[in-house]
Amino acid sequence: MYKVGIITSSDKGYEGLRKDEGGPKIKEILSKFSDKFEAAEYIILPDDKNLLTSAMTDMIDHNHIDLVVTTGGTGFSKRDVTPEATLSVIERRAPGIPEAMRAISLEVTMRAMLSRAEAGIRGDSIIINLPGSPKAIEEILEPILPSIYHGLDILQDKDAECAGQ
């Protein structure tokens, strides 16, 4: 069972001016994979690179979270800094994950090309940026979770098989 930390990046959500729907949507989808993933932490932060960086680092390095899933802050707004925070925390990029997410989303809307989402590895953990839209989260997260599970197995030496088999 892999522990998942969820971070919502939203100024308005953090200030209580908007209800966070992204974080709860991630929890709902994870519950469909309850034999593989457990939502262990959930926080809402403002769109602040330093706070996001600190939260991701703390979840992985101190709380031993296996998978950090962020929602929000991946667009073109000047306050959208989640990808930059992620890049400052990871040790290795995993470009296939956001490529797959954008491919899935492009089947629904051409605006998916505007996503700046990143994904990568820190130690034995994976960080993935999801959009803030609950609809987009639903379209993307469920299809990628089986491959993420396999990736974590390989990363944590629980499965030595080639990813292509």
Side-chain angles (χ1 to χ4, degrees):
M1 171 91 57
Y2 290 114
K3 291 175 22 177
V4 181
I6 302 165
I7 301 173
T8 296
S9 178
S10 168
D11 288 332
K12 290 182 180 177
Y14 181 75
E15 293 170 10
L17 301 174
R18 176 186 299 155
K19 180 181 177 191
D20 175 34
E21 295 180 7
K25 179 56 74 176
I26 293 168
K27 285 183 183 179
E28 176 188 320
I29 293 166
L30 289 172
S31 71
K32 297 177 184 180
F33 296 84
S34 60
D35 60 324
K36 294 176 173 47
F37 297 102
E38 170 197 4
E41 286 191 49
Y42 165 56
I43 58 172
I44 302 173
L45 293 174
D47 295 294
D48 179 281
K49 183 181 174 188
N50 292 331
L51 291 174
L52 292 166
T53 299
S54 178
M56 290 181 216
T57 303
D58 190 53
M59 280 186 177
I60 292 170
D61 295 355
H62 299 110
N63 300 343
H64 309 291
I65 295 294
D66 302 296
L67 173 62
V68 174
V69 181
T70 69
T71 175
T74 61
F76 279 25
S77 165
K78 288 177 178 39
R79 295 284 297 160
D80 289 338
V81 295
T82 305
E84 288 75 21
T86 301
L87 289 171
S88 72
V89 169
I90 61 174
E91 296 157 348
R92 297 185 287 160
R93 292 181 72 202
I97 297 170
E99 288 169 9
M101 295 186 319
R102 280 187 277 275
I104 293 165
S105 290
L106 281 167
E107 303 245 345
V108 179
T109 176
M110 288 303 292
R111 290 186 181 175
M113 73 174 77
L114 301 177
S115 171
R116 299 182 317 106
E118 291 285 347
I121 297 166
R122 179 180 180 89
D124 288 339
S125 301
I126 298 173
I127 300 172
I128 301 172
N129 301 152
L130 294 178
S133 158
K135 182 179 180 294
I137 291 168
E138 190 162 11
E139 292 163 1
I140 295 168
L141 187 56
E142 193 165 343
I144 70 166
L145 278 176
S147 293
I148 299 306
Y149 182 80
H150 181 68
L152 282 165
D153 277 352
I154 293 169
L155 185 61
Q156 296 187 6
D157 293 326
K158 296 177 182 173
D159 185 348
E161 282 189 28
C162 174
Q165 294 181 351

